[in-house]
Amino acid sequence: MEKKNIDWENLGFGYIQTDKRYVSNFKDGKWDDGALIDDANITMNECAGVLQYAQTVFEGMKAYTTEDGRIVTFRPDLNAARMVDSAKRLEMPVFPEDRFVDAVVQTVKANAAYVPPYGSGATLYIRPYMFGINPVIGVKPADEYQFRVFTTPVGPYFKGGAKPITICVSDFDRAAPHGTGHIKAGLNYAMSLHAIVTAHANGFDENMYLDSATRTKVEETGGANFIFITKDNKVVTPHSNTILPSITRRSIMYVAEHYLGLEVEERDVYFDEVKDFAECGLCGTAAVISPVGKVVDHGKEICFPSGMEKMGPITQKLYDTLTGIQMGHIEAPEGWLKVIE
Ligand code: PLP
Ligand code: COI
């Protein structure tokens, strides 16, 4: 299979249309068989549930080319399970987990020419999503849904790749207690847009959201969880019911403990203790592990000792081990890699 003529090394995190996408429709209480199609556009009624009341959930994952030339995805079963949780919270029908993984495999296979080569620094981002498609005007769940998967080749989420970023403590809240912060619903991202545009306008790369109930604890950013490294090399990550249970973060905590022999803690992280950490990073499918050099809280700067030039040493070890597993040159725990071809 010949790869597409794309400048892989210089890709940003943007949308490039690929050849095939997977579609399955839910009607009369059941999902149809699903198929790969060519048309990247969707036609729907003006009153579709997704357009009126934002009834949509999604996932994000990546396909990688390994050193020995295989195409793999990373823990797609966990994305399938998380989409079940997201769908249930928004009163949507569940797309069966085995079918989710199969749809991802089919879509990646059909777009194999767009999976960036090993060593290019780029990956194929996979976006499964689902939305209410029939007309809905009273506030209620739709009766008909569409599940789709498309792919797009991407580079680093933050410009500058592995260079540390600067983030600010947001004045806006991301998620309410007992709200939808723990699921991957489009509505969580719509309401973060004003906050991210404001952060960018003020010269910051991202927002640090605090818990909206007390505004004392670190939650996450708009699109990634936090990891912190203590001065005695413990890996600490916030525990919260209002953040997205990141698959990358769960994998990093496992890798820290079982591959690197580090102590790990998932617990409340108070903003007041952030100044005492040695390193900070954002983790997620898109973010991978993006180092944070500085946190600014209304003019007060917290500068991590790891600095603004490169990742801190423990973050680097976590990054190398995680990406080594994803790219196939470090042995993965059983079941973490799904080989596509
Ligand atoms: N937190 C938010 C709000 C996200 O959008 C994402 C991205 O998916 C993550 C965390 C990271 O999750 P994962 O590692 O499963 O991609
Ligand atoms: C991902 O990491 O997959 C996400 O969905 C985050 C998004 C902000 C791109």
Side-chain angles (χ1 to χ4, degrees):
M1 175 263 317
E2 203 174 314
K3 292 283 177 192
K4 296 286 171 181
N5 184 19
I6 292 173
D7 183 7
W8 309 108
E9 277 80 8
N10 291 308
L11 281 177
F13 196 88
Y15 173 73
I16 294 174
Q17 192 173 310
T18 57
D19 294 341
K20 300 280 183 187
R21 64 274 308 127
Y22 180 93
V23 183
S24 178
N25 288 295
F26 182 89
K27 200 174 174 176
D28 301 326
K30 57 180 188 306
W31 290 104
D32 69 13
D33 288 344
L36 290 171
I37 63 161
D38 294 325
D39 193 355
N41 296 302
I42 302 171
T43 303
M44 66 178 83
N45 187 273
E46 61 192 354
C47 197
V50 60
L51 298 180
Q52 302 311 322
Y53 303 123
Q55 198 185 15
T56 178
V57 296
F58 70 101
E59 272 304 321
M61 51 215 292
K62 283 174 171 172
Y64 310 84
T65 303
T66 61
E67 204 168 9
D68 61 0
R70 293 170 302 159
I71 295 174
V72 301
T73 58
F74 185 69
R75 312 189 76 180
D77 50 320
L78 299 188
N79 295 92
R82 192 168 64 188
M83 196 165 197
V84 169
D85 295 339
S86 298
K88 285 182 177 167
R89 180 63 177 78
L90 291 200
E91 292 293 338
M92 302 167 91
V94 161
F95 194 73
E97 291 173 53
D98 55 338
R99 286 200 56 196
F100 176 105
V101 174
D102 177 59
V104 165
V105 169
Q106 282 193 46
T107 314
V108 173
K109 219 179 230 179
N111 294 298
Y114 292 91
V115 183
Y118 176 77
S120 64
T123 51
L124 188 73
Y125 188 73
I126 308 164
R127 175 52 62 86
Y129 60 116
M130 192 170 125
F131 50 92
I133 198 167
N134 67 296
V136 173
I137 194 69
V139 177
K140 64 176 177 122
D143 301 309
E144 295 173 14
Y145 294 85
Q146 193 163 98
F147 169 86
R148 283 189 169 238
V149 185
F150 72 78
T151 59
T152 181
V154 295
Y157 190 64
F158 294 104
K159 278 196 243 51
K163 271 255 177 188
I165 58 170
T166 301
I167 64 175
C168 61
V169 176
S170 181
D171 285 330
F172 301 100
D173 291 329
R174 177 184 173 273
H178 314 292
T180 55
H182 61 298
I183 60 158
K184 214 159 163 56
L187 59 92
N188 292 336
Y189 299 81
M191 54 80 74
S192 76
L193 296 176
H194 179 59
I196 193 65
V197 169
T198 305
H200 286 162
N202 291 330
F204 301 109
D205 298 297
E206 249 297 356
N207 282 299
M208 169 184 274
Y209 291 105
L210 302 180
D211 75 294
S212 54
T214 70
R215 303 199 125 253
T216 58
K217 289 181 266 185
V218 177
E219 292 257 293
E220 60 175 332
T221 70
N225 283 180
F226 278 104
I227 51 166
F228 297 97
I229 313 297
T230 64
K231 289 183 177 139
D232 58 354
N233 293 348
K234 244 184 247 160
V235 185
V236 179
T237 194
H239 172 81
S240 165
N241 294 329
T242 50
I243 65 174
L244 192 77
S246 159
I247 294 161
T248 314
R249 182 254 297 165
R250 285 180 265 165
S251 306
I252 289 168
M253 297 308 270
Y254 183 91
V255 159
E257 189 174 1
H258 299 280
Y259 281 58
L260 301 174
L262 299 169
E263 242 184 276
V264 297
E265 284 178 357
E266 185 179 348
R267 60 165 170 85
D268 285 344
V269 175
Y270 287 88
F271 181 69
D272 278 351
E273 58 180 311
V274 169
K275 63 179 184 336
D276 301 322
F277 289 119
E279 300 174 36
C280 172
L282 307 183
C283 61
T285 299
V288 192
I289 305 181
S290 299
V292 176
K294 196 192 285 188
V295 180
V296 181
D297 176 24
H298 302 92
K300 267 196 290 179
E301 293 191 352
I302 297 172
C303 299
F304 295 104
S306 47
M308 295 304 296
E309 281 311 307
K310 55 179 179 24
M311 278 188 203
I314 300 291
T315 307
Q316 185 74 55
K317 272 192 197 166
L318 291 168
Y319 180 93
D320 291 345
T321 314
L322 177 73
T323 56
I325 289 170
Q326 290 168 333
M327 306 284 175
H329 54 262
I330 295 177
E331 194 173 341
E334 179 78 31
W336 278 26
L337 293 187
K338 170 94 187 158
V339 179
I340 307 270
E341 61 178 22

